[in-house]
Amino acid sequence: AGDGAGVGGGQASGSADAADDRPSPSDPTGLPRLASPPLLDAPPLSSASLAVPDRLVSSVPDRLVLSARQAAHANARLGHVMASEREAHRTALALAGRRLSYLSADVNARLLFIAQPPRHASPGNRAWAALLLPHQPSGTPTHWLSSESGDTLAFEAAREGVPPEALRMVVGRVVAVAGPVHVAPADTGRGCTTANPYNLSAGETYCVVHAEVVLAHRWAGL
């Protein structure tokens, strides 16, 4: 009987364990529950291990102030350098805008145009040529002011109250240059024509300059 009781008790215990391993009706996964591992007891942290030395704490504000001052000084120096560079750039642009070119007729270059003898212009008009090097072997200029720019010059002179015949030189900012054009022998000996508008000699070349002209006295006041 005792053995039977023991066997019965063992079966009952095994049945209880199996019942514990079976999923509960409320468990949606249907998996058996696993026993949680025991928690390890970690030693508590002492206040001494968390403490920061007072000298480090007290030096942080000083270091922040020093870093801020250094950054402010660096920014001030950088701003001064950039302002100086901007001023130098503006000065260079202003000087470039006032500087006359005597070697090239690039776009935006300022050229000095000189009034030419009447034989280089049609009746009632004036011819203007830029003072540029090199010139023709005969000494004749190579770059001539276009007729459209000449008309604008006459209009500006009239508006300023300056007689056109009193003008001797003007300054022009180059807008465009056409040419060079070669003068053929058949285009000479007939004065100023469409093929030879400046009455040049055979074999000579010329360029037509379209420019924004400014009277000399106004240019000097710029």
Side-chain angles (χ1 to χ4, degrees):
D3 294 339
V7 172
Q11 292 176 349
S13 175
S15 299
D17 295 339
D20 292 340
D21 293 337
R22 289 194 303 268
S24 63
S26 61
D27 188 357
T29 61
L31 299 176
R33 294 192 301 272
L34 299 178
S36 300
L39 297 177
L40 298 178
D41 295 334
L45 297 176
S46 62
S47 59
S49 62
L50 298 176
V52 179
D54 293 339
R55 59 184 180 84
L56 294 180
V57 175
S58 61
S59 65
V60 168
D62 296 336
R63 292 181 180 180
L64 292 177
V65 171
L66 179 60
S67 177
R69 288 177 178 175
Q70 291 175 347
H73 289 313
N75 289 335
R77 288 194 298 269
L78 180 60
H80 179 71
V81 171
M82 293 181 65
S84 300
E85 291 180 352
R86 285 194 298 268
E87 184 62 27
H89 182 65
R90 283 194 294 266
T91 302
L93 290 178
L95 291 177
R98 293 176 58 87
R99 187 176 293 116
L100 297 177
S101 176
Y102 298 98
L103 299 177
S104 64
D106 298 330
V107 174
N108 290 326
R110 270 69 174 177
L111 303 181
L112 182 63
F113 289 91
I114 307 297
Q116 299 300 308
R119 66 183 179 89
H120 292 293
S122 58
N125 294 320
R126 300 190 70 186
W128 300 86
L131 188 61
L132 280 176
L133 294 175
H135 47 66
Q136 308 275 4
S138 61
T140 306
T142 58
H143 288 68
W144 296 76
L145 190 66
S146 67
S147 58
E148 296 83 3
S149 299
D151 294 340
T152 303
L153 173 61
F155 175 78
E156 292 293 333
R159 189 174 65 173
E160 294 284 338
V162 179
E165 60 275 8
L167 295 176
R168 294 292 178 267
M169 62 185 66
V170 294
V171 174
R173 183 182 69 84
V174 178
V175 177
V177 179
V181 179
H182 182 78
V183 179
D187 297 329
T188 60
R190 293 178 296 173
C192 296
T193 61
T194 303
N196 187 7
Y198 305 106
N199 193 20
L200 302 179
S201 302
E204 293 184 332
T205 59
Y206 66 92
C207 295
V208 179
V209 180
H210 300 270
E212 295 178 353
V213 292
V214 180
L215 302 184
H217 70 279
R218 185 168 293 279
W219 170 262
L222 293 178

